Amino acid sequence: MIKFILKRLGISFLVLLGGSLLMFYLTVSSGDPLQDYYESNDPNRDQIIASITQRLMLDQPWIARYWDWLTGVAGCIGPGVCDLGQNINGVEVGSLLGNAAVSTLRLVTLATVLAILVGITVGIVTAIRQYSGFDYVVTFLTFLFFSLPVFWAAVLLKEFGAIRYNDWIADPQISSVQAIVIGVVLAVILQAVLGGSWRRRLVTAGVTAVFVFAALTYFTSVGWWRAPALGIGIVAVVAIAAAVGLTAIFAGLGNRRVLYSTLTTVGVGLVAYYAVGPLLAEPNLLILLLLLAITIVVSLASGYFWGGYSSRRTAMGLSAVTGVIMGLLILLDRIVYAWAGFLGLKSRPISTIGSNTPNFRGDYWETILDNGTQLLLPTVLLTLISIASYSRYTRASMLETMNQDFVRTARSKGLSERVVIVKHAFRNALIPITTIVAFDFAALIGGAVITETVFGWKGMGELFRTGLDAVDPAPVMAFFLVTGLAAIVMNMLADIAYAFLDPRIRR
């Protein structure tokens, strides 16, 4: 395996080297960076031209300029000084790249994680319920999202997800007619997802419509939209549902040891809801990471205690996941509670431009809300586009795997459908999906150029675009360097995941 990884690293290095050479040549050949200065009437024109010529080495052949850039980059991975060059204005590209990479990777990483979780889940459900009404609806929506022009979808999100929402939140009201319509729409969707006989579908739709109507009416009457809160009750219900659901999917409710282990983790989390309250009043990143580590340790201990000899590994894994979900719910409760104060500082909470609010003065949780609302629209856009591909590939891979001989053999041995799907079909179906994840991450960074332009983000997209417009190779090459390294790292992680999913690959 180590030999295979080293070989892949060598090949990836050669590909990156050749790609950087081609990118540099295309950039410097796309125009003249001094064109605007030749037509300028500025009295200092000649001095400016001479300065830019010296800074960008315009009096040298392009291959000499490329070698100068390459030796500067080599200092970043070996002995020497890391030098990514200067842009046309004399600013160090390294400092620009640091801020831009953090902004873009924050956006792309979150969008990728959400797309994987939602897309794979939807793909599995549609594969299990092939040719159902739910499958047809999801197929239509995925092709719609996949074919949407990014810039047009971004404009729609800004209009309905930001401008109109900001107008509504100033005086949030949901009439009885609107509540009924929302309840009916959600009822139709949920009964289609859950399926079953017509009687079961009608019961599901009726209960959903009544519940949604009652909840929306209650929230509007008490002013919940501007001063929301979850509370220990909602946190407990969601956490218990997650514990029971994870156990049912991955271990089966008949495995009492695993069920008791996840429920014990939820119980400890409910105690921690009050115990860590003072620490979460005004925390920092170090405190949150420490609490996360404690959560995982306690969850693993619960799984170890309850699991016994036969189920210990499963119990520890599911308890750890349940503990993380419980911790996220507690943090979500704090963030939701801070919404009222956030609206007092920022009356129009969803921004359409920029990655943060200049001169924002709020506490820790209000700052989290500010960063989150700035991240919301571009993340939703990139996630919707990626969900389409993930769900279709997952569906196709699951259908192909479920028709294999080993799956039929597993069914003939009397294994439950849950075991057949989770432990046999799904694991083998993940192998081609892993390849898509590796390529999609790097592709999202490239696609973020348009998204960041529409939403006014100061990220890698702007760095690439401004460098290309100015025929300035240093920012363009910095963008290529991050994107290329991301592609190499993600492909290497995919290779390691292959070995984990299919032990035959390790040989």
Side-chain angles (χ1 to χ4, degrees):
M1 187 64 184
I2 296 178
K3 181 179 179 181
F4 175 73
I5 292 177
L6 292 177
K7 182 179 179 180
R8 287 298 304 272
L9 282 175
I11 296 174
S12 299
F13 173 77
L14 294 178
V15 171
L16 192 63
L17 184 64
S20 66
L21 181 66
L22 180 61
M23 176 67 77
F24 193 94
Y25 174 75
L26 292 176
T27 302
V28 299
S29 302
S30 62
D32 186 357
L34 299 177
Q35 183 64 41
D36 292 338
Y37 295 98
Y38 289 144
E39 301 171 358
S40 173
N41 294 322
D42 192 322
N44 297 322
R45 184 190 66 176
D46 294 337
Q47 290 84 345
I48 295 175
I49 291 176
S51 176
I52 295 177
T53 300
Q54 181 182 8
R55 187 181 304 125
L56 300 185
M57 299 176 60
L58 297 179
D59 54 342
Q60 300 291 327
W62 72 269
I63 191 66
R65 298 169 62 190
Y66 172 75
W67 179 254
D68 181 73
W69 174 84
L70 190 62
T71 53
V73 172
C76 300
I77 57 176
V81 179
C82 181
D83 182 15
L84 299 181
Q86 297 179 346
N87 67 1
I88 196 170
N89 297 318
V91 180
E92 292 291 336
V93 173
S95 61
L96 297 176
L97 178 63
N99 297 328
V102 169
S103 180
T104 297
L105 292 178
R106 179 179 59 167
L107 170 64
V108 172
T109 301
L110 181 58
T112 302
V113 171
L114 291 175
I116 290 173
L117 293 176
V118 178
I120 291 180
T121 302
V122 171
I124 294 173
V125 175
T126 53
I128 295 173
R129 302 186 56 199
Q130 186 184 16
Y131 302 135
S132 65
F134 176 70
D135 184 25
Y136 288 128
V137 171
V138 170
T139 300
F140 169 76
L141 291 177
T142 52
F143 280 112
L144 176 64
F145 292 148
F146 190 79
S147 60
L148 279 179
V150 175
F151 59 90
W152 183 68
V155 172
L156 289 180
L157 277 176
K158 290 172 71 172
E159 174 65 25
F160 294 99
I163 297 174
R164 298 200 181 187
Y165 174 81
N166 290 335
D167 294 338
W168 176 80
I169 198 65
D171 184 22
Q173 296 294 325
I174 296 180
S175 66
S176 298
V177 175
Q178 291 172 328
I180 292 173
V181 172
I182 295 173
V184 170
V185 171
L186 293 179
V188 172
I189 294 174
L190 188 60
Q191 64 84 23
V193 173
L194 297 180
S197 63
W198 282 109
R199 182 177 180 181
R200 178 180 174 181
R201 288 172 179 264
L202 289 175
V203 172
T204 301
V207 172
T208 302
V210 171
F211 175 79
V212 171
F213 173 79
L216 293 178
T217 303
Y218 172 76
F219 288 157
T220 302
S221 63
V222 299
W224 190 87
W225 306 112
R226 289 191 62 88
L230 296 181
I232 187 68
I234 295 180
V235 171
V237 170
V238 176
I240 292 173
V244 174
L246 288 172
T247 304
I249 293 174
F250 294 101
L253 294 178
N255 195 329
R256 297 298 181 184
R257 288 184 174 273
V258 176
L259 180 62
Y260 293 155
S261 126
T262 56
L263 291 178
T264 300
T265 302
V266 173
V268 175
L270 295 178
V271 175
Y273 179 88
Y274 294 102
V276 301
L279 290 176
L280 295 180
E282 188 62 33
N284 54 48
L285 182 60
L286 180 60
I287 292 176
L288 294 179
L289 291 177
L290 180 61
L291 290 175
L292 174 62
I294 295 174
T295 298
I296 294 176
V297 170
V298 172
S299 302
L300 292 175
S302 173
Y304 184 85
F305 175 78
W306 280 110
Y309 178 77
S310 60
S311 303
R312 182 164 292 156
R313 183 176 179 181
T314 303
M316 291 175 67
L318 293 182
S319 293
V321 175
T322 303
V324 172
I325 292 175
M326 186 72 196
L328 292 176
L329 287 172
I330 294 175
L331 294 182
L332 180 62
D333 177 71
R334 288 284 175 170
I335 293 173
V336 169
Y337 184 75
W339 180 255
F342 176 65
L343 289 180
L345 297 171
K346 190 176 177 182
S347 59
R348 300 184 67 82
I350 309 297
S351 299
T352 58
I353 297 295
S355 57
N356 54 55
T357 302
N359 303 318
F360 182 80
R361 295 291 183 267
D363 62 18
Y364 183 85
W365 298 112
E366 290 165 349
T367 303
I368 291 291
L369 278 171
D370 178 58
N371 293 331
T373 52
Q374 299 279 1
L375 195 64
L376 179 63
L377 296 185
T379 300
V380 168
L381 178 61
L382 293 178
T383 301
L384 287 177
I385 295 172
S386 296
I387 282 177
S389 58
Y390 284 133
S391 63
R392 301 317 296 167
Y393 279 113
T394 302
R395 180 182 182 276
S397 183
M398 280 291 294
L399 289 175
E400 181 181 0
T401 305
M402 290 171 67
N403 290 323
Q404 298 294 322
D405 290 339
F406 70 90
V407 174
R408 286 193 287 267
T409 302
R411 286 197 175 104
S412 67
K413 290 168 62 176
L415 297 179
S416 65
E417 192 66 13
R418 177 190 62 79
V419 174
V420 171
I421 292 174
V422 174
K423 293 189 176 181
H424 293 273
F426 177 57
R427 181 168 180 172
N428 287 273
L430 275 178
I431 294 178
I433 300 171
T434 305
T435 305
I436 303 303
V437 174
F439 283 104
D440 186 67
F441 186 82
L444 273 180
I445 298 179
V449 174
I450 299 176
T451 304
E452 291 177 1
T453 301
V454 175
F455 289 102
W457 272 58
K458 305 296 182 181
M460 297 292 298
E462 187 196 31
L463 190 70
F464 175 81
R465 182 177 55 81
T466 55
L468 203 59
D469 290 341
V471 198
D472 186 1
V476 176
M477 297 306 296
F479 174 86
F480 172 82
L481 195 62
V482 173
T483 307
L485 287 176
I488 290 174
V489 170
M490 293 303 294
N491 275 278
M492 192 59 58
L493 292 177
D495 291 336
I496 296 173
Y498 293 155
F500 173 76
L501 295 170
D502 189 350
R504 293 173 298 179
I505 297 178
R506 301 173 191 173
R507 301 177 182 271

